[in-house]
Amino acid sequence: LELFDELRAADDVEPDVIAYTAALSALAKGGQWEKALELFDELVSNKERIKPDVVAYNAALAALSKGEQWEKALAIFDQLDETGPEPNFFTCTTAIAAAGKSGRWKKALAILDSMAKKRGLTPNLITYGAAMMACSKAGQWEKALELFA
């Protein structure tokens, strides 16, 4: 992170999306979700110069999930879904888990449904497990069993 800060402070060099993503990943691994969110906000506010990719969004989602900031993670997913690059398997699965942990089981099922219908992604056992957990946590056992079937 010191190297990234030096890069940002340099007059002749500007960090690219890869540098931002590496810094976001380091912050996620270090459990520093607040700093990761600040850095991510900086990245997306510079869309004219640096275009955030899905890997950068995933790094931000990972940091917020590790920090148990479920609503903030869902806000970033919604932002990505509206204006960002196409979400991938990791993005959707992380958002489903965040929705479940924040008690938003309907949101989790909507994301699961959109994976195949809208994005052409095939959910796997981890994805279904996250969706089932979202339903069961909210007392929606019937919905969880429907996913199991």
Side-chain angles (χ1 to χ4, degrees):
L1 291 174
E2 288 178 31
L3 185 61
F4 181 77
D5 288 337
E6 289 176 24
L7 185 62
R8 282 197 308 189
D11 292 331
D12 56 341
V13 180
E14 188 172 319
D16 61 7
V17 69
I18 296 169
Y20 271 96
T21 302
L24 286 167
S25 295
L27 290 167
K29 288 179 183 161
Q32 299 181 45
W33 69 266
E34 297 97 339
K35 288 184 180 178
L37 186 57
E38 286 175 24
L39 189 62
F40 182 76
D41 287 342
E42 178 183 313
L43 173 61
V44 296
S45 70
N46 289 321
K47 280 186 178 178
E48 299 82 37
R49 293 182 293 131
I50 306 168
K51 186 171 180 159
D53 61 11
V54 71
V55 180
Y57 276 89
N58 287 347
L61 286 172
L64 292 170
S65 294
K66 186 170 183 178
E68 299 182 0
Q69 301 300 308
W70 315 122
E71 290 298 330
K72 288 177 175 51
L74 287 172
I76 285 181
F77 176 79
D78 289 340
Q79 176 187 5
L80 170 68
D81 201 29
E82 291 172 20
T83 62
E86 187 67 28
N88 63 19
F89 176 82
F90 177 85
T91 318
C92 294
T93 302
T94 303
I96 289 169
K101 291 177 180 175
S102 66
R104 296 176 59 190
W105 65 274
K106 288 181 181 178
K107 173 81 171 177
L109 293 182
I111 296 167
L112 177 68
D113 188 55
S114 77
M115 283 182 75
K117 290 182 180 173
K118 183 178 173 184
R119 306 180 204 298
L121 300 171
T122 303
N124 69 7
L125 290 175
I126 296 169
T127 310
Y128 279 112
M132 291 172 70
M133 186 63 76
C135 293
S136 64
K137 183 176 179 184
Q140 299 295 319
W141 296 103
E142 298 83 14
K143 295 287 183 187
L145 289 174
E146 286 175 23
L147 294 173
F148 186 69

